[in-house]
Amino acid sequence: MSELTFQAQPSRRPWTSTGVRALIFSRWYAWMLIGVLSALVVYPLAMLFLASFRGAEQADSTTVFTLDSYQRVFNSTATYELIWTTVWLAGARVALGCLIGVFLAWLVARTDMPWRHGIEVLAWIKFFSPPLPMTVAWILLAGKTGVLNSLLAGLPFVHGPVFDVYSYWGIVFVSGLQLAAFIFLLTVPAFRSMDASLEDAGKLAGATSLGVLRRITAPLALPAILGAVLYAFIFALESFETEVMLGTPARIYVLSTQIYILAEQYPNDLAGATALSAFFLVAVAGVIVVQMRLLSGRSFTTVSGHGYASRPVALGKWRWAALALCVLYFGVSTLLPLAMLILGTFMRGWGNWSAATFTLLHWQVSLQDPRLIGALANTVVLGVLVGLGGTAVCAVASYLWVRTRFGGRRLLEFITWAPRIAPGPVLAIAFAWAYIGGLPVFRPILGTVLMLAVVLVVNSLPLGSRILAGGMHQVAYELEEAARISGLSWLTTLRRVLFPLLAPVLVTSFVVLFLLAIRNLVLIIFFYTPDSRVLSAILWEGWRGGNPERALVAGLIMMAISLVALGAALVARRRAGIASIY
Amino acid sequence: MRPKLLLLTLALAAMLGASSCAASQAPSPAAPRADTADAAWQSVVDAGKREGRVLVYGTGFLRGAEGAMIAQEFQRIYGIAVDNVDGAGSPSFERLRQESKAGVPTADIYLASPPWPAVVEKAGFLMSVRDKPLPLLKEPKTVWKVDPTSMSEAYLIQAPIYPNGHVVINTSVLQAADYPKSFHELATDPRYRGKIAWVDPKTTGDVAFKWTIWGYIGSALSLQDIWQIYANQQPALYADPPAEAEAVSRGEAAIAMGLSNFESAAESGAPIKVLRFADIPVVTNISALGLVKQAQHPNAALVLMNWAVSREGQEFITKTRRALSLRTDVPDKLPDALRTPELVGGTTKGPEYVLAPVHAVFSADLHSKVEVWRRLPTGVPEDEFESAINTYVADWEAANGGPQRQAIPFVE
């Protein structure tokens, strides 16, 4: 029998700082971790924000500090319009993504819906689809002259285009579908690790299925759902590609677009871009406060020492309807645009569809590209380094703030959020300042895949830490206590108790960070060299170089690598006896 | 006599044929074999071969799979490997700046389109190429459509990007009778309402650039026309020129300005046609190669720079990239659909220019420092728009010694 430890009272206290763990984590090792992360994360961002206060150099070569750039940005009514559009668009997209993602996660993890594992694989495919080409695929599908409108134009009662992807709802739809997969992947582990006997108890007590879902299942998954939703919200605030491509024709502008332009244009306005980024600082701080308030005083333990059952909820006649909903979602969100991408690589010009323009040229040229083999190898190495390195760093950091009473744990939590306080283009410049022109420690590895890995591990801190912290919240402290009472050392306890229990979350973290690393563009272009060229750089070069079809080939190869990584994770899962990839 | 005469004729013909064959195989003045005549240059080539590689930062002819083919060809000839780190002007400049500051290995060559070469030169990261023994410096001026050394001490202009001054029409959307004949007509005729693809000034400086080349230099596009396009013609706005070109190629909009980014559509058989307004100047953007002061492989970099503008190099580059040539002795290799524009609105072609550094920097500053551009899509009063720009231009001219409307001629 298992025991529910969910309670509306202060959670069981984490261990006090004693013994070996106190020696290791309450003292200088933990502070050293904070020091290293500060040098990697806080230092570049601090330099950036400091520069935003710097005024013009005076005649006597001194520099004065001023609030000019902040006044310039925040005295403009246009800034507040941008902020309002950005916030409500992000909110609408996250709401749609949350609705779909959490529901699908529950169906896959907690019900007897058929073909659940196939749906999981589809979610991963959706997650690692390159966002830029997928957005263009939607323009070709649902633009004014897109495939869908062209097909519908043949109907007698249709006059003019039915779909217009260049609109608020176009952005919400395309981006919301993407966020749904993201939220799905982050919440499935929480649903899966729940104890089914808790739901059984609810039913025995007379609750309906909906009541059980509302009063037991959903609250238990709250940390994971909240973590995923809040992270998705920050992600949506910073998102750039979809907004600029779909929003510009409809005169829709968001903050990230403005920041990108200020950072990239000539002459660039880094002070203005950084001042605008201050909004993200406030947003991230707000998210942390909201998360702390909502989670404080409650326990979310679902993995305890009493064993647990994960018996699925029987859907009865709704099983096939549920599957149909999932297939509809993945068909629309993934397979349809993906088909456009694949078809596009076989056309002389993407969007100019006809049998006469069919060609194998793009594949031939791409596969004969001498840079491809090196880029393939670099991409795999980079993904593995970031997956392993990011997971290790995030695991230690989240262990410290979730499961210890280490004095600097709140500071550590904030540091792991810090890379999200500046959108990609601004963050890239801050990292370039710090890692190339600043800290000499990185000079021996500049230009190598290792340097890319360091940058991307730092960039992965917010997401990796959220994934792992969610998992750690669910493991009862009594398990570690029991092991310690049985005489196991702290390290052995970690290795034999906590580590196996967290294995599904660790695998998730590895796969997510691997996938995010291999598709990153914004940071890569500041640090890659010919020796460390990766596939995303080839995709970017093709896209910017007027060869979108060849960029798509690179994108599809990236997806193939992602599928291999996913397959490897599934194999690892089976060998380790883990119930799922999560 | 007759057989002897015949034999003599045949012998002469054979000798002439052999000599003509030899002449046709003889390298051009800038080709490697001619280089060997110049001892100073030969020592550069030898040193470059010993260096063995050259690293290029930026965009241009080395981009993508075609760029890799060009790099392979150069390596085949000289045995020098070419590595390229692609990047738009801003990220490449930032990298160069940080690496130079840290004293770590950086690029040998900076390759970008305006205004970035001038910006990088002004920042002091490039060294002069005029004092180097480059064979191209000795070539007669008549081989150039525009002299590659005409813009700077520190960089060579290299590959012409597609000329601006043409209008691209999607023929499935716009019939021949409706082809526009001037910018003014485009800006005012209701037939073009909702059919023009235009770039959003909130996302790029392309509109200020268009006004600089056709309005400021060419006096063919007024500020009033630009304002009217936004205010009255309901243009379909796109985030950047490639998105604008793609939209016209697939018929989402009917009309776009400029040929750049249409090469892929032209080669794929999209229903597009190129028009050229009579008497309107065509201004071509040209990318540039600069030798970086901290270059690790300076000799190899010089060999690449020289080859890129040599006859041999231009032949290979224009053929591989389907581009215009910088030289009069190398034919252009534009895709067929872009090669022969139809002249409309008159019978006289306007002049051909290349964009000078001063105009590139002017255009970029004009966009970033005059805020009214960015208000065009959401509405700005016409008099405020024109007044703000005219004031900036007057101030800029006063600070730069008067009007700077003189462009650099380009031999068509």
Side-chain angles (χ1 to χ4, degrees):
Chain A
M1 289 294 289
S2 62
E3 182 186 8
L4 171 65
T5 57
F6 173 74
Q7 53 204 359
Q9 58 187 20
S11 61
R12 188 176 300 194
R13 279 188 169 190
W15 279 2
T16 51
S17 301
T18 55
V20 179
R21 194 178 47 162
L23 179 67
I24 293 175
F25 283 126
S26 295
R27 305 277 173 87
W28 63 276
Y29 276 108
W31 287 107
M32 197 170 76
L33 178 70
I34 287 186
V36 170
L37 292 182
S38 296
L40 290 171
V41 184
V42 181
Y43 165 67
L45 291 168
M47 293 268 293
L48 191 72
F49 277 95
L50 195 64
S52 71
F53 291 109
R54 194 170 288 153
E57 196 172 290
Q58 306 297 296
D60 59 355
S61 296
T62 57
T63 302
V64 293
F65 287 88
T66 167
L67 288 171
D68 281 356
S69 55
Y70 289 83
Q71 283 174 339
R72 177 162 50 86
V73 164
F74 290 104
N75 279 346
S76 166
T77 52
T79 300
Y80 297 97
E81 287 169 17
L82 281 178
I83 290 175
W84 168 240
T85 308
T86 305
V87 170
W88 91 254
L89 258 181
R93 284 178 286 172
V94 171
L96 178 66
C98 183
L99 197 69
I100 298 172
V102 172
F103 182 60
L104 294 190
W106 176 75
L107 284 177
V108 164
R110 305 297 304 160
T111 73
D112 62 348
M113 182 182 72
W115 210 57
R116 295 189 298 279
H117 294 302
I119 294 297
E120 280 181 44
V121 173
L122 282 175
W124 282 100
I125 291 175
K126 173 67 187 162
F127 177 67
F128 52 63
S129 306
L132 191 67
M134 289 295 267
T135 302
V136 181
W138 273 109
I139 293 174
L140 297 180
L141 274 169
K144 205 164 65 173
T145 56
V147 173
L148 297 177
N149 282 321
S150 301
L151 290 174
L152 291 171
L155 299 174
F157 50 86
V158 171
H159 305 287
V162 175
F163 300 106
D164 182 10
V165 77
Y166 298 130
S167 62
Y168 280 111
W169 296 113
I171 296 173
V172 170
F173 179 75
V174 172
S175 185
L177 293 183
Q178 183 75 24
L179 287 174
F182 180 71
I183 292 171
F184 171 91
L185 293 173
L186 294 189
T187 48
V188 161
F191 282 114
R192 182 156 280 145
S193 60
M194 270 178 204
D195 190 344
S197 61
L198 305 174
E199 291 163 333
D200 292 343
K203 281 181 183 166
L204 281 175
T208 61
S209 294
L210 194 64
V212 169
L213 178 65
R214 190 170 61 82
R215 298 186 61 184
I216 296 177
T217 313
L220 278 173
L222 189 62
I225 294 173
L226 202 59
V229 164
L230 292 178
Y231 193 88
F233 185 70
I234 296 292
F235 188 75
L237 289 179
E238 291 184 0
S239 168
F240 167 72
E241 290 102 339
T242 307
E243 292 70 13
V244 79
M245 295 183 80
L246 301 185
T248 303
R251 319 285 204 272
I252 298 166
Y253 306 102
V254 292
L255 208 54
S256 55
T257 314
Q258 183 66 15
I259 290 171
Y260 175 83
I261 293 161
L262 291 174
E264 296 284 312
Q265 71 181 11
Y266 168 78
N268 69 18
D269 180 7
L270 270 184
T274 310
L276 275 179
S277 300
F279 167 77
F280 294 100
L281 179 64
V282 174
V284 167
V287 160
I288 295 173
V289 170
V290 168
Q291 196 170 23
M292 284 169 64
R293 284 181 68 90
L294 288 175
L295 300 186
S296 65
R298 306 169 86 182
S299 167
F300 301 93
T301 306
T302 55
V303 181
S304 67
H306 304 274
Y308 70 95
S310 57
R311 199 166 43 256
V313 174
L315 291 177
K317 60 185 178 183
W318 292 103
R319 292 173 73 225
W320 293 102
L323 178 62
L325 270 179
C326 291
V327 170
L328 178 69
Y329 164 70
F330 287 108
V332 170
S333 71
T334 313
L335 301 181
L336 206 54
L338 196 57
M340 299 293 284
L341 295 190
I342 294 170
L343 204 57
T345 62
F346 292 103
M347 294 292 159
R348 290 173 68 193
W350 195 22
N352 183 21
W353 313 111
S354 83
T357 66
F358 181 85
T359 180
L360 294 172
L361 179 73
H362 305 307
W363 281 94
Q364 286 168 345
V365 172
S366 299
L367 294 176
Q368 287 168 5
D369 187 342
R371 303 166 307 166
L372 187 69
I373 299 298
L376 266 171
N378 286 338
T379 302
V380 173
V381 171
L382 178 68
V384 171
L385 284 175
V386 176
L388 289 176
T391 299
V393 173
C394 294
V396 174
S398 41
Y399 181 86
L400 280 170
W401 97 64
V402 172
R403 302 188 73 83
T404 76
R405 296 181 60 77
F406 165 57
R409 63 185 188 278
R410 290 288 166 230
L411 176 63
L412 192 58
E413 185 178 2
F414 182 78
I415 289 173
T416 60
W417 266 113
R420 287 284 72 83
I421 66 175
V426 178
L427 191 68
I429 291 173
F431 283 174
W433 283 3
Y435 301 163
I436 302 174
L439 300 168
V441 67
F442 291 113
R443 287 182 192 162
I445 61 166
L446 280 179
T448 64
V449 175
L450 192 57
M451 184 73 241
L452 295 182
V454 169
V455 171
L456 294 177
V457 164
V458 174
N459 189 52
S460 74
L461 285 175
L463 183 55
S465 301
R466 306 287 88 68
I467 293 171
L468 289 158
M472 289 192 191
H473 272 298
Q474 290 189 313
V475 178
Y477 298 102
E478 69 200 32
L479 299 173
E480 283 174 89
E481 284 172 352
R484 295 281 293 124
I485 291 165
S486 306
L488 294 183
S489 69
W490 173 75
L491 275 176
T492 310
T493 304
L494 269 190
R495 187 167 57 82
R496 296 184 57 184
V497 178
L498 195 59
F499 197 76
L501 288 171
L502 287 174
V505 183
L506 291 167
V507 172
T508 302
S509 170
F510 173 82
V511 176
V512 169
L513 300 190
F514 177 97
L515 297 176
L516 286 180
I518 68 171
R519 74 178 209 192
N520 183 285
L521 281 177
V522 178
L523 296 172
I524 291 281
I525 60 173
F526 276 84
F527 290 91
Y528 88 92
T529 63
D531 296 331
S532 57
R533 179 180 273 111
V534 288
L535 280 172
S536 61
I538 289 184
L539 185 153
W540 191 78
E541 290 167 1
W543 196 265
R544 300 266 307 192
N547 277 318
E549 299 83 9
R550 285 182 216 155
L552 293 185
V553 172
L556 289 174
I557 295 172
M558 277 166 61
M559 290 185 69
I561 291 181
S562 305
L563 274 173
V564 171
L566 185 60
L570 288 168
V571 170
R573 174 197 87 172
R574 280 193 192 143
R575 288 195 177 171
I578 298 168
S580 84
I581 191 168
Y582 307 102
Chain B
M1 281 298 286
R2 271 193 165 179
K4 280 186 182 174
L5 190 63
L6 185 63
L7 280 173
L8 190 63
T9 309
L10 283 172
L12 270 171
M15 284 169 67
L16 278 171
S19 69
S20 119
C21 190
S24 69
Q25 287 172 353
S28 66
R33 226 183 284 175
D35 294 345
T36 56
D38 185 328
W41 175 244
Q42 188 56 47
S43 68
V44 170
V45 173
D46 292 342
K49 287 178 178 174
R50 283 194 297 277
E51 288 167 357
R53 65 182 293 191
V54 56
L55 176 59
V56 182
Y57 278 4
T59 58
F61 70 99
L62 290 172
R63 172 178 275 163
E66 287 86 355
M69 288 162 67
I70 293 168
Q72 279 181 325
E73 175 67 5
F74 176 74
Q75 185 170 12
R76 187 187 65 77
I77 297 169
Y78 288 101
I80 299 170
V82 181
D83 294 324
N84 173 228
V85 171
D86 204 323
S90 181
S92 293
F93 177 45
E94 194 59 42
R95 273 182 79 146
L96 195 59
R97 183 156 60 180
Q98 295 305 327
E99 287 167 349
S100 297
K101 181 179 153 194
V104 297
T106 186
D108 302 307
I109 291 175
Y110 180 79
L111 168 61
S113 54
W116 291 102
V119 172
V120 174
E121 182 185 14
K122 193 177 168 190
F125 294 138
L126 304 180
M127 69 171 101
S128 172
V129 291
R130 296 286 183 93
D131 57 349
K132 304 293 185 289
L134 297 169
L136 71 94
L137 298 174
K138 297 173 186 165
E139 296 212 54
K141 297 293 179 193
T142 51
V143 305
W144 306 115
K145 290 180 180 174
V146 57
D147 185 342
T149 62
S150 61
M151 293 191 191
S152 162
E153 279 285 327
Y155 59 81
L156 299 174
I157 56 175
Q158 194 272 332
I161 300 169
Y162 294 104
N164 294 284
H166 298 79
V167 177
V168 181
I169 302 290
N170 186 305
T171 53
S172 64
V173 184
L174 204 67
Q175 304 307 309
D178 292 326
Y179 288 172
K181 295 180 179 59
S182 68
F183 288 125
H184 183 68
E185 195 182 28
L186 266 183
T188 53
D189 193 323
R191 280 182 301 170
Y192 305 117
R193 189 164 296 158
K195 292 185 177 165
I196 303 168
W198 200 258
V199 173
D200 191 336
K202 282 184 189 282
T203 54
T204 78
D206 198 60
V207 180
F209 174 73
K210 282 179 167 128
W211 181 76
T212 300
I213 60 175
W214 296 324
Y216 184 73
I217 302 172
S219 304
L221 174 64
S222 69
L223 287 172
Q224 188 185 34
D225 285 340
I226 286 192
W227 184 85
Q228 293 215 24
I229 286 175
Y230 286 95
N232 302 327
Q233 296 295 63
Q234 299 168 6
L237 296 187
Y238 295 94
D240 51 33
E244 177 190 356
E246 284 162 19
V248 171
S249 302
R250 60 175 179 263
E252 196 171 287
I255 307 162
M257 312 292 160
L259 289 189
S260 57
N261 304 297
F262 276 99
E263 52 271 42
S264 174
E267 296 213 53
S268 68
I272 56 172
K273 183 177 181 62
V274 182
L275 308 180
R276 180 171 176 174
F277 293 150
D279 303 318
I280 284 180
V282 169
V283 183
T284 302
N285 236 351
I286 294 192
S287 63
L289 294 146
L291 182 60
V292 176
K293 274 185 181 168
Q294 292 182 334
Q296 309 289 302
H297 315 98
N299 295 291
L302 284 173
V303 177
L304 176 62
M305 291 169 83
N306 187 74
W307 179 79
V309 294
S310 71
R311 180 175 167 183
E312 186 186 29
Q314 284 282 296
E315 277 175 349
F316 193 84
I317 292 168
T318 52
K319 184 181 73 180
T320 308
R321 300 219 73 101
R322 308 298 308 270
L324 286 175
S325 166
L326 189 68
R327 302 174 63 106
T328 53
D329 54 359
V330 174
D332 295 334
K333 295 287 179 13
L334 284 172
D336 290 342
L338 303 183
R339 194 173 292 165
T340 49
E342 179 182 327
L343 193 66
V344 290
T347 54
T348 323
K349 284 182 183 176
E352 294 262 349
Y353 297 126
V354 290
L355 189 71
V358 65
H359 293 129
V361 175
F362 167 75
S363 147
D365 280 341
L366 182 63
H367 169 75
S368 61
K369 293 178 180 171
V370 186
E371 182 258 348
V372 287
W373 292 109
R374 288 179 284 286
R375 285 165 53 202
L376 276 169
T378 43
V380 55
E382 185 179 358
D383 53 350
E384 185 186 342
F385 173 69
E386 291 188 27
S387 164
I389 292 168
N390 286 330
T391 302
Y392 178 84
V393 173
D395 291 348
W396 181 81
E397 287 179 342
N400 287 277
Q404 308 272 334
R405 292 170 194 262
Q406 189 63 43
I408 297 175
F410 183 76
V411 178
E412 197 175 358

